[in-house]
């Protein structure tokens, strides 16, 4: 978004921030510019500019006392997270 658009509509990022804050837990020291940068990065990644990865699933409809859940494939999920932690391509 051009800077002029941000100046003309300075409240534009806030609906996204409000929606994200309902699901995000941050440290006390996190400030609004940090959150805006985070949400901008997420927007770019989900807008086709990033790569999507899914955690491998063992059971997409695991029944629990609280309802339905998704059960990860622990071995493959661990391999994925290790690759990401080590900055390696997964797979």
């Amino acid at each position: 978004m051009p800077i002029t658009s941000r100046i003309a509509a300075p409240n534009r990022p806030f609906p996204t921030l409000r929606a994200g804050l309902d699901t995000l837990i941050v440290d006390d020291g996190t400030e609004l510019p940090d959150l805006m940068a985070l949400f901008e990065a997420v927007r770019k990644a989900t807008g086709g500019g990033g790569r999507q990865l899914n955690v491998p699933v063992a059971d997409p409809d695991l029944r629990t006392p609280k309802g339905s859940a998704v059960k990860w494939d622990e071995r493959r999920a661990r391999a994925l997270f290790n690759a990401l932690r080590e900055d390696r391509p997964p797979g």
Side-chain angles (χ1 to χ4, degrees), residues 15-34:
T16 303
L17 286 174
R18 277 190 220 109
L21 289 174
D22 288 341
T23 59
L24 183 67
I25 298 171
V26 297
D27 292 332
D28 288 338
T30 303
E31 297 183 359
L32 185 58
D34 301 320

Side-chain angles (χ1 to χ4, degrees), residues 55-57 72-84:
V55 176
V57 173
W72 291 353
D73 179 316
E74 291 185 41
R75 182 186 58 78
R76 292 173 49 217
R78 190 175 309 114
L80 170 65
F81 293 129
N82 284 337
L84 293 172

Side-chain angles (χ1 to χ4, degrees), residues 19-66:
L21 289 174
D22 288 341
T23 59
L24 183 67
I25 298 171
V26 297
D27 292 332
D28 288 338
T30 303
E31 297 183 359
L32 185 58
D34 301 320
L35 293 173
M36 290 181 69
L38 170 67
F39 291 126
E40 181 70 15
V42 169
R43 186 187 65 77
K44 286 180 181 177
T46 59
R51 180 173 176 196
Q52 179 178 339
L53 296 172
N54 295 318
V55 176
V57 173
D59 185 350
D61 192 26
L62 176 69
R63 296 297 167 176
T64 73
K66 302 246 180 198

